């Protein structure tokens, strides 16, 4: 039986996002437009709009739709903003961010995932610059960034991201040990240059691996 993906997206937005407190209309509209089923393995496409993360290979996952929306809402991305998306994965979150921002750079440490995500994004018409590298070091060629969003948990805020953050910029990332206690943190750069942290609650993410986070297992 064929799946009505547009209807499934609509239900996802209303039941999983709006009903649970996501209020940013631009984020809700972007999540309505981006075809999440195109960013998961074909055999799993019919489950793409369910309320849970999904494996995409190389030990990585595509995040739960609610978490993607929560992080992008917290990043407060404006139409003229530049965004660094750390942990491209399937490219889904970068595609949603591309609906919100002027420019998106997405960095992935797994070359295979980076190639696949870049191909999917290009085929669907999303303008995202996908690069391969250590996400904990950011990407200086695209700095400064108005928002940095990371889909993996680190022990602390990487110094490189702070250096690449624009005045009044925001960083959204999970903090905590893989398999242990983690929380979703939002860092806001204030007018005096200092960062103010807000805790958005408990989450569970794969580890952020790199020079300024966890070592390779």
């Amino acid at each position: 039986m064929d799946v009505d993906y547009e209807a499934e997206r609509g239900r996802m937005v209303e039941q999983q996002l709006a009903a649970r407190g996501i209020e940013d209309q631009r984020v809700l509209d972007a999540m309505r437009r981006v075809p999440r089923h195109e960013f998961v393995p074909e055999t799993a496409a019919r489950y793409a709009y369910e309320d849970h993360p999904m494996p995409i290979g190389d030990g990585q996952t595509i995040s739960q739709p609610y978490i993607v929306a929560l992080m992008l809402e917290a990043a407060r991305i404006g139409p003229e903003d530049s965004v660094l998306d750390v942990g491209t994965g399937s490219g889904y979150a970068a595609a949603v961010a591309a609906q919100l921002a002027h420019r998106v750079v997405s960095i992935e440490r797994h070359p295979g995932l980076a190639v696949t995500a870049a191909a999917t994004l290009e085929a669907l018409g999303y303008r995202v610059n996908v690069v391969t590298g250590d996400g904990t070091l950011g990407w200086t060629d695209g700095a400064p960034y108005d928002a940095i969003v990371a889909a993996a948990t680190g022990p602390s805020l990487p110094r490189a991201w702070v250096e690449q953050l624009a005045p009044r910029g925001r960083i959204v990332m999970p903090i905590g040990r893989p398999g242990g206690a983690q929380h979703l943190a939002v860092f806001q750069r204030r007018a005096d240059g200092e960062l103010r942290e807000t805790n958005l609650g408990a989450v569970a993410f794969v580890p952020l691996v790199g020079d300024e986070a966890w070592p390779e297992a």
Side-chain angles (χ1 to χ4, degrees), residues 88-144:
T88 311
S90 68
Y92 174 69
V96 180
Q99 298 285 290
L100 305 170
H102 173 66
R103 183 173 63 94
V104 177
V105 176
S106 187
I107 186 165
E108 172 58 53
R109 72 185 184 92
H110 295 281
L113 287 180
V115 169
T116 300
T120 302
L121 289 161
E122 182 177 8
L124 295 173
Y126 295 108
R127 295 177 58 191
V128 176
N129 180 21
V130 179
V131 297
T132 304
D134 181 348
T136 70
L137 302 179
W139 192 257
T140 56
D141 288 354

Side-chain angles (χ1 to χ4, degrees), residues 35-204:
R36 191 170 190 261
H37 63 279
E38 298 284 3
F39 292 88
V40 301
E42 188 175 351
T43 54
R46 65 173 51 248
Y47 310 111
Y49 298 100
E50 294 184 0
D51 188 25
H52 54 72
M54 301 175 68
I56 57 171
D58 285 325
Q60 306 301 300
T61 59
I62 180 173
S63 295
Q64 175 190 12
Y66 171 74
I67 292 295
V68 174
L70 178 64
M71 295 180 77
L72 292 177
E73 181 177 64
R76 295 189 291 108
I77 299 168
E80 299 303 318
D81 284 353
S82 293
V83 175
L84 177 64
D85 171 58
V86 180
T88 311
S90 68
Y92 174 69
V96 180
Q99 298 285 290
L100 305 170
H102 173 66
R103 183 173 63 94
V104 177
V105 176
S106 187
I107 186 165
E108 172 58 53
R109 72 185 184 92
H110 295 281
L113 287 180
V115 169
T116 300
T120 302
L121 289 161
E122 182 177 8
L124 295 173
Y126 295 108
R127 295 177 58 191
V128 176
N129 180 21
V130 179
V131 297
T132 304
D134 181 348
T136 70
L137 302 179
W139 192 257
T140 56
D141 288 354
Y145 301 101
D146 301 288
I148 298 174
V149 182
T153 186
S156 59
L157 180 60
R159 182 178 62 256
W161 298 358
V162 177
E163 294 170 352
Q164 294 173 29
L165 190 65
R168 299 188 181 275
R170 289 81 56 199
I171 298 173
V172 183
M173 70 173 295
I175 299 282
R177 185 169 293 279
Q182 302 175 19
H183 69 276
L184 187 59
V186 181
F187 297 91
Q188 166 75 55
R189 173 159 277 165
R190 303 185 307 189
D192 62 5
E194 294 297 313
L195 292 175
R196 180 182 64 195
E197 180 180 357
T198 303
N199 185 334
L200 294 186
V203 289

Side-chain angles (χ1 to χ4, degrees), residues 205-217:
F205 277 84
V206 297
L208 179 66
V209 174
D211 284 357
E212 294 197 27
W214 306 109
E216 184 82 50

